mmCIF file of all heavy atoms in Angstrom:
data_model
loop_
_atom_site.group_PDB
_atom_site.id
_atom_site.type_symbol
_atom_site.label_atom_id
_atom_site.label_comp_id
_atom_site.label_asym_id
_atom_site.label_seq_id
_atom_site.Cartn_x
_atom_site.Cartn_y
_atom_site.Cartn_z
ATOM 1 N N GLU A 65 -13.227 -11.843 -20.200
ATOM 2 C CA GLU A 65 -13.976 -10.666 -20.632
ATOM 3 C C GLU A 65 -13.840 -9.436 -19.805
ATOM 4 O O GLU A 65 -14.060 -8.269 -20.155
ATOM 5 C CB GLU A 65 -15.499 -11.027 -20.719
ATOM 6 C CG GLU A 65 -15.804 -12.184 -21.600
ATOM 7 C CD GLU A 65 -15.729 -13.513 -20.783
ATOM 8 O OE1 GLU A 65 -16.004 -13.536 -19.579
ATOM 9 O OE2 GLU A 65 -15.369 -14.467 -21.398
ATOM 10 N N ALA A 66 -13.431 -9.679 -18.500
ATOM 11 C CA ALA A 66 -13.338 -8.544 -17.570
ATOM 12 C C ALA A 66 -12.164 -7.680 -17.842
ATOM 13 O O ALA A 66 -12.279 -6.484 -17.612
ATOM 14 C CB ALA A 66 -13.192 -9.167 -16.146
ATOM 15 N N SER A 67 -11.108 -8.192 -18.299
ATOM 16 C CA SER A 67 -9.918 -7.349 -18.588
ATOM 17 C C SER A 67 -9.293 -7.598 -19.945
ATOM 18 O O SER A 67 -8.561 -8.515 -20.094
ATOM 19 C CB SER A 67 -8.854 -7.584 -17.449
ATOM 20 O OG SER A 67 -7.774 -6.812 -17.676
ATOM 21 N N ASP A 68 -9.641 -6.822 -20.909
ATOM 22 C CA ASP A 68 -9.191 -6.989 -22.272
ATOM 23 C C ASP A 68 -7.632 -6.849 -22.332
ATOM 24 O O ASP A 68 -6.916 -7.569 -22.968
ATOM 25 C CB ASP A 68 -9.942 -6.010 -23.178
ATOM 26 C CG ASP A 68 -9.627 -6.394 -24.634
ATOM 27 O OD1 ASP A 68 -9.495 -7.553 -25.018
ATOM 28 O OD2 ASP A 68 -9.513 -5.401 -25.458
ATOM 29 N N TRP A 69 -7.136 -5.771 -21.704
ATOM 30 C CA TRP A 69 -5.641 -5.430 -21.820
ATOM 31 C C TRP A 69 -4.845 -6.627 -21.158
ATOM 32 O O TRP A 69 -3.839 -7.054 -21.764
ATOM 33 C CB TRP A 69 -5.308 -4.166 -21.086
ATOM 34 C CG TRP A 69 -3.987 -3.697 -21.284
ATOM 35 C CD1 TRP A 69 -3.371 -3.016 -22.345
ATOM 36 C CD2 TRP A 69 -2.894 -3.977 -20.276
ATOM 37 N NE1 TRP A 69 -2.035 -2.891 -22.032
ATOM 38 C CE2 TRP A 69 -1.743 -3.394 -20.853
ATOM 39 C CE3 TRP A 69 -2.813 -4.621 -19.075
ATOM 40 C CZ2 TRP A 69 -0.488 -3.480 -20.197
ATOM 41 C CZ3 TRP A 69 -1.579 -4.640 -18.421
ATOM 42 C CH2 TRP A 69 -0.431 -4.066 -18.999
ATOM 43 N N ALA A 70 -5.245 -7.052 -19.961
ATOM 44 C CA ALA A 70 -4.456 -8.103 -19.345
ATOM 45 C C ALA A 70 -4.549 -9.434 -20.055
ATOM 46 O O ALA A 70 -3.623 -10.173 -20.200
ATOM 47 C CB ALA A 70 -5.019 -8.306 -17.921
ATOM 48 N N THR A 71 -5.693 -9.714 -20.689
ATOM 49 C CA THR A 71 -5.855 -10.948 -21.420
ATOM 50 C C THR A 71 -4.964 -10.951 -22.704
ATOM 51 O O THR A 71 -4.342 -11.917 -22.985
ATOM 52 C CB THR A 71 -7.369 -11.103 -21.794
ATOM 53 O OG1 THR A 71 -8.147 -11.061 -20.617
ATOM 54 C CG2 THR A 71 -7.652 -12.358 -22.534
ATOM 55 N N ARG A 72 -4.951 -9.805 -23.337
ATOM 56 C CA ARG A 72 -4.129 -9.764 -24.579
ATOM 57 C C ARG A 72 -2.548 -9.872 -24.137
ATOM 58 O O ARG A 72 -1.790 -10.415 -24.872
ATOM 59 C CB ARG A 72 -4.373 -8.412 -25.300
ATOM 60 C CG ARG A 72 -5.645 -8.477 -26.083
ATOM 61 C CD ARG A 72 -5.845 -7.250 -26.808
ATOM 62 N NE ARG A 72 -6.157 -6.115 -25.851
ATOM 63 C CZ ARG A 72 -5.807 -4.894 -25.970
ATOM 64 N NH1 ARG A 72 -5.179 -4.510 -27.007
ATOM 65 N NH2 ARG A 72 -6.134 -4.043 -25.065
ATOM 66 N N LEU A 73 -2.289 -9.246 -22.907
ATOM 67 C CA LEU A 73 -0.868 -9.258 -22.526
ATOM 68 C C LEU A 73 -0.512 -10.760 -22.179
ATOM 69 O O LEU A 73 0.565 -11.197 -22.574
ATOM 70 C CB LEU A 73 -0.677 -8.359 -21.303
ATOM 71 C CG LEU A 73 0.707 -8.310 -20.770
ATOM 72 C CD1 LEU A 73 1.683 -7.620 -21.722
ATOM 73 C CD2 LEU A 73 0.694 -7.493 -19.458
ATOM 74 N N LEU A 74 -1.409 -11.482 -21.519
ATOM 75 C CA LEU A 74 -1.109 -12.923 -21.177
ATOM 76 C C LEU A 74 -0.979 -13.766 -22.425
ATOM 77 O O LEU A 74 -0.282 -14.730 -22.427
ATOM 78 C CB LEU A 74 -2.236 -13.411 -20.289
ATOM 79 C CG LEU A 74 -2.097 -13.014 -18.825
ATOM 80 C CD1 LEU A 74 -3.348 -13.416 -18.077
ATOM 81 C CD2 LEU A 74 -0.863 -13.583 -18.150
ATOM 82 N N ALA A 75 -1.695 -13.385 -23.481
ATOM 83 C CA ALA A 75 -1.601 -14.164 -24.711
ATOM 84 C C ALA A 75 -0.257 -13.968 -25.383
ATOM 85 O O ALA A 75 0.310 -14.881 -26.079
ATOM 86 C CB ALA A 75 -2.635 -13.768 -25.744
ATOM 87 N N ARG A 76 0.416 -12.829 -25.128
ATOM 88 C CA ARG A 76 1.726 -12.473 -25.812
ATOM 89 C C ARG A 76 2.916 -12.778 -24.890
ATOM 90 O O ARG A 76 4.016 -13.140 -25.456
ATOM 91 C CB ARG A 76 1.811 -11.079 -26.113
ATOM 92 C CG ARG A 76 0.874 -10.455 -27.153
ATOM 93 C CD ARG A 76 1.181 -9.060 -27.547
ATOM 94 N NE ARG A 76 1.484 -8.204 -26.440
ATOM 95 C CZ ARG A 76 0.649 -7.329 -25.908
ATOM 96 N NH1 ARG A 76 -0.613 -7.255 -26.356
ATOM 97 N NH2 ARG A 76 1.051 -6.566 -24.873
ATOM 98 N N ARG A 77 2.761 -12.665 -23.605
ATOM 99 C CA ARG A 77 4.027 -12.818 -22.678
ATOM 100 C C ARG A 77 3.778 -13.891 -21.667
ATOM 101 O O ARG A 77 2.612 -14.211 -21.302
ATOM 102 C CB ARG A 77 4.254 -11.478 -22.007
ATOM 103 C CG ARG A 77 4.426 -10.369 -22.966
ATOM 104 C CD ARG A 77 5.882 -10.399 -23.369
ATOM 105 N NE ARG A 77 6.165 -9.233 -24.271
ATOM 106 C CZ ARG A 77 6.841 -9.358 -25.460
ATOM 107 N NH1 ARG A 77 7.106 -10.502 -25.901
ATOM 108 N NH2 ARG A 77 7.003 -8.326 -26.151
ATOM 109 N N PRO A 78 4.863 -14.421 -21.086
ATOM 110 C CA PRO A 78 4.743 -15.289 -19.894
ATOM 111 C C PRO A 78 4.118 -14.685 -18.695
ATOM 112 O O PRO A 78 4.130 -13.395 -18.618
ATOM 113 C CB PRO A 78 6.162 -15.712 -19.624
ATOM 114 C CG PRO A 78 6.939 -15.391 -20.882
ATOM 115 C CD PRO A 78 6.228 -14.210 -21.500
ATOM 116 N N PHE A 79 3.564 -15.408 -17.873
ATOM 117 C CA PHE A 79 2.765 -14.882 -16.684
ATOM 118 C C PHE A 79 3.599 -13.931 -15.896
ATOM 119 O O PHE A 79 3.057 -12.819 -15.532
ATOM 120 C CB PHE A 79 2.269 -16.039 -15.869
ATOM 121 C CG PHE A 79 1.300 -15.615 -14.772
ATOM 122 C CD1 PHE A 79 0.018 -15.392 -15.021
ATOM 123 C CD2 PHE A 79 1.806 -15.396 -13.479
ATOM 124 C CE1 PHE A 79 -0.899 -14.943 -13.993
ATOM 125 C CE2 PHE A 79 0.922 -14.890 -12.478
ATOM 126 C CZ PHE A 79 -0.399 -14.726 -12.760
ATOM 127 N N LYS A 80 4.817 -14.265 -15.494
ATOM 128 C CA LYS A 80 5.598 -13.452 -14.620
ATOM 129 C C LYS A 80 6.062 -12.126 -15.245
ATOM 130 O O LYS A 80 6.083 -11.076 -14.621
ATOM 131 C CB LYS A 80 6.748 -14.137 -14.038
ATOM 132 C CG LYS A 80 6.304 -15.163 -13.015
ATOM 133 C CD LYS A 80 7.483 -15.818 -12.244
ATOM 134 C CE LYS A 80 6.997 -16.819 -11.268
ATOM 135 N NZ LYS A 80 8.075 -17.398 -10.510
ATOM 136 N N VAL A 81 6.296 -12.171 -16.494
ATOM 137 C CA VAL A 81 6.649 -10.940 -17.268
ATOM 138 C C VAL A 81 5.419 -10.029 -17.388
ATOM 139 O O VAL A 81 5.569 -8.825 -17.220
ATOM 140 C CB VAL A 81 7.157 -11.358 -18.724
ATOM 141 C CG1 VAL A 81 7.378 -10.109 -19.545
ATOM 142 C CG2 VAL A 81 8.458 -12.110 -18.672
ATOM 143 N N ALA A 82 4.268 -10.609 -17.609
ATOM 144 C CA ALA A 82 3.035 -9.867 -17.655
ATOM 145 C C ALA A 82 2.767 -9.218 -16.235
ATOM 146 O O ALA A 82 2.301 -8.088 -16.149
ATOM 147 C CB ALA A 82 1.852 -10.735 -18.075
ATOM 148 N N ALA A 83 3.080 -9.949 -15.192
ATOM 149 C CA ALA A 83 2.866 -9.418 -13.800
ATOM 150 C C ALA A 83 3.736 -8.190 -13.570
ATOM 151 O O ALA A 83 3.246 -7.220 -12.997
ATOM 152 C CB ALA A 83 3.088 -10.499 -12.806
ATOM 153 N N VAL A 84 4.968 -8.232 -13.973
ATOM 154 C CA VAL A 84 5.866 -7.101 -13.753
ATOM 155 C C VAL A 84 5.445 -5.930 -14.634
ATOM 156 O O VAL A 84 5.484 -4.751 -14.236
ATOM 157 C CB VAL A 84 7.311 -7.523 -13.961
ATOM 158 C CG1 VAL A 84 8.251 -6.284 -13.947
ATOM 159 C CG2 VAL A 84 7.760 -8.519 -12.971
ATOM 160 N N ALA A 85 4.977 -6.206 -15.898
ATOM 161 C CA ALA A 85 4.437 -5.163 -16.734
ATOM 162 C C ALA A 85 3.248 -4.505 -16.167
ATOM 163 O O ALA A 85 3.110 -3.295 -16.158
ATOM 164 C CB ALA A 85 4.181 -5.734 -18.088
ATOM 165 N N LEU A 86 2.329 -5.271 -15.570
ATOM 166 C CA LEU A 86 1.121 -4.726 -14.957
ATOM 167 C C LEU A 86 1.560 -3.912 -13.712
ATOM 168 O O LEU A 86 0.952 -2.903 -13.411
ATOM 169 C CB LEU A 86 0.175 -5.767 -14.717
ATOM 170 C CG LEU A 86 -1.177 -5.373 -14.111
ATOM 171 C CD1 LEU A 86 -1.892 -4.314 -14.999
ATOM 172 C CD2 LEU A 86 -2.070 -6.519 -13.875
ATOM 173 N N ALA A 87 2.528 -4.440 -12.870
ATOM 174 C CA ALA A 87 2.953 -3.686 -11.753
ATOM 175 C C ALA A 87 3.565 -2.403 -12.097
ATOM 176 O O ALA A 87 3.363 -1.334 -11.393
ATOM 177 C CB ALA A 87 3.996 -4.546 -10.944
ATOM 178 N N ASN A 88 4.260 -2.295 -13.196
ATOM 179 C CA ASN A 88 4.839 -1.068 -13.758
ATOM 180 C C ASN A 88 3.687 -0.091 -14.055
ATOM 181 O O ASN A 88 3.735 1.060 -13.697
ATOM 182 C CB ASN A 88 5.752 -1.364 -14.968
ATOM 183 C CG ASN A 88 6.475 -0.195 -15.471
ATOM 184 O OD1 ASN A 88 6.213 0.939 -15.119
ATOM 185 N ND2 ASN A 88 7.530 -0.426 -16.247
#
Side-chain angles (χ1 to χ4, degrees):
E65 304 88 34
S67 178
D68 190 37
W69 184 84
T71 304
R72 285 182 290 147
L73 183 63
L74 281 172
R76 293 189 319 260
R77 300 281 183 228
F79 186 82
K80 289 188 179 183
V81 173
V84 173
L86 183 57
N88 188 343

